[in-house]
Amino acid sequence: MARADLLLALVRSGAGGDELAFRRAAEALIAEENAKKHKVLASQLSDALTKRRASGATVSPLSRPQESAGLFHEIEPMRRLTDLVLPSLVRQSANGLVEEHHRRDLLRSHGVEPRHRVLLEGPPGSGKTTLAEAIASEIAVPLLTVRYEGLIGSFLGETASRLDALFSAVRTRPCVLFFDEFDAVAKERGDTHETGEIKRVVSSLLLQVDRLPSHVIVIAATNHAELLDRAVWRRMQIRLSLPSASRSGKIEWLRAWSTRTGVVFGKTERTIADRLRDVSYAELEDFATDVQRRQILGGFDSDPASVTEGVLKAWVNRARPDTDG
């Protein structure tokens, strides 16, 4: 059964002629039915909302599937927050966000919505994408990663039009909408080197983000926070900085990964972390998976220490290429 507050909001806004409030209540109702796997009802409600505009109302139409095709990549998230090595403040903030969405009904009973706009900044490989996936996993919603090759067009107004299709497609489903390399579409509008088209895209993007309901969690990640438009910072309710992988962080990550997978390195985590001192968390996961792969192919009789040493030598050479030539 639909939430009583949504039905009440729908009737009140419809009776009062508040089209924006009506649309938001209707989209939240559709999202709830989608979350319950009531696909037929959700589709019928979407069609009814789309037809409402044709009758003269000012409600924006929901995008058709073909309009949003190629604009995002959807995955079912598998990682958990407990799998990640995070600074204490980052972990606390992430857990707080998850709790807000798990207990959103309590918040809404007091007229408060859970936060749903997050900015992650940090160097490549610091775990921004992994954190976005873990948040989606903890809230039990799909992770939708924006595909810039499908979003950014070469003609005037094309990118803004595709942005409209993207946001219309996600408005009625609980999800995490992930923008990696967010500076690609949200650059500072005061930059004199940028074209008027880019500035219009940024304005359209920020407006769309503002209008999203709280069941769509926008997570934007960037390696270059200094390039972002200042208005982006104001709109993000949670702003987190992920540092480069530290020695202690790598040791913790290796221990957790070994416990989770059952793979024995045959060498101490400290030794591995010291020899891979220049790698990121993302690269460290690639290294650990390489070890696991070689152990599987080598059979159960293979010596873990020898396998790890062979992979370590390859990685050390890869991390420090010979520059004499």
Side-chain angles (χ1 to χ4, degrees):
M1 184 175 180
R3 283 188 358 233
D5 60 323
L6 285 181
L7 293 175
L8 184 59
L10 196 67
V11 173
R12 281 179 174 172
S13 57
D18 187 341
E19 291 297 336
L20 179 59
F22 179 87
R23 184 187 68 186
R24 287 177 174 171
E27 288 170 343
L29 186 60
I30 295 168
E32 184 171 282
E33 297 308 317
N34 270 319
K36 294 176 181 177
K37 308 299 182 183
H38 298 166
K39 300 298 183 181
V40 174
L41 177 57
S43 178
Q44 291 173 338
L45 290 170
S46 295
D47 290 343
L49 188 58
T50 302
K51 292 175 181 177
R52 179 177 172 82
R53 184 174 185 269
S55 67
T58 58
V59 177
S60 299
L62 302 175
S63 68
R64 293 181 292 273
Q66 61 268 26
E67 292 176 338
S68 59
L71 297 181
F72 58 82
H73 174 66
E74 179 175 346
I75 68 166
E76 181 181 351
M78 303 298 293
R79 301 176 188 271
R80 304 296 301 272
L81 283 173
T82 52
D83 299 336
L84 277 56
V85 175
L86 298 169
S88 58
L89 289 177
V90 173
R91 186 177 298 279
Q92 181 181 344
S93 295
N95 285 331
L97 176 67
V98 170
E99 182 187 14
E100 288 177 22
H101 282 268
H102 282 167
R103 307 181 70 186
R104 55 188 176 272
D105 288 345
L106 174 60
L107 290 176
R108 286 168 177 159
S109 69
H110 292 272
V112 178
E113 289 292 319
R115 291 173 295 176
H116 64 110
R117 297 190 295 271
V118 183
L119 177 64
L120 306 178
E121 68 94 12
S126 56
K128 298 184 293 295
T129 302
T130 307
L131 179 54
E133 181 182 350
I135 289 173
S137 177
E138 297 291 348
I139 300 176
V141 296
L143 176 69
L144 311 181
T145 300
V146 176
R147 300 177 57 182
Y148 292 124
E149 69 273 18
L151 182 65
I152 299 176
S154 56
F155 298 104
L156 183 67
E158 190 174 14
T159 302
S161 175
R162 292 176 181 177
L163 273 173
D164 288 342
L166 168 68
F167 283 99
S168 294
V170 304
R171 290 182 66 89
T172 58
R173 57 183 306 194
C175 64
V176 167
L177 181 63
F178 181 58
F179 287 85
D180 197 7
E181 300 180 5
F182 195 50
D183 46 278
V185 289
K187 288 184 178 179
E188 171 61 57
R189 283 170 289 184
D191 188 345
T192 56
H193 296 93
E194 293 298 343
T195 65
E197 171 70 357
I198 290 295
K199 295 176 182 179
R200 284 190 291 272
V201 167
V202 175
S203 297
S204 176
L205 173 64
L206 296 178
L207 183 62
Q208 294 280 11
V209 168
D210 277 345
R211 291 177 173 175
L212 279 177
S214 61
H215 58 257
V216 179
I217 303 171
V218 175
I219 300 182
T222 180
N223 304 332
H224 303 285
E226 71 280 0
L227 298 180
L228 292 177
D229 190 274
R230 282 168 289 182
V232 171
W233 294 88
R234 293 196 299 270
R235 280 167 170 79
M236 294 304 176
Q237 299 156 313
I238 300 175
R239 300 191 289 263
L240 302 175
S241 180
L242 297 179
S244 300
S246 64
R247 179 178 183 269
S248 60
K250 292 175 187 176
I251 293 171
E252 180 184 350
W253 189 94
L254 287 165
R255 286 175 177 166
W257 187 87
S258 181
T259 299
R260 188 170 68 253
T261 62
V263 173
V264 177
F265 291 111
K267 292 180 177 292
T268 67
E269 290 81 6
R270 289 184 175 85
T271 298
I272 298 172
D274 287 339
R275 293 180 66 178
L276 296 177
R277 61 177 179 268
D278 295 326
V279 303
S280 65
Y281 286 123
E283 291 171 317
L284 193 62
E285 182 171 5
D286 288 340
F287 162 80
T289 306
D290 279 353
V291 172
Q292 182 181 32
R293 190 178 294 113
R294 296 317 308 170
Q295 287 189 8
I296 292 171
L297 294 176
F300 294 106
D301 295 331
S302 60
D303 176 40
S306 298
V307 172
T308 301
E309 178 63 26
V311 178
L312 268 172
K313 287 180 178 178
W315 270 79
V316 169
N317 289 333
R318 187 175 92 160
R320 300 178 181 177
D322 184 4
T323 57
D324 292 342

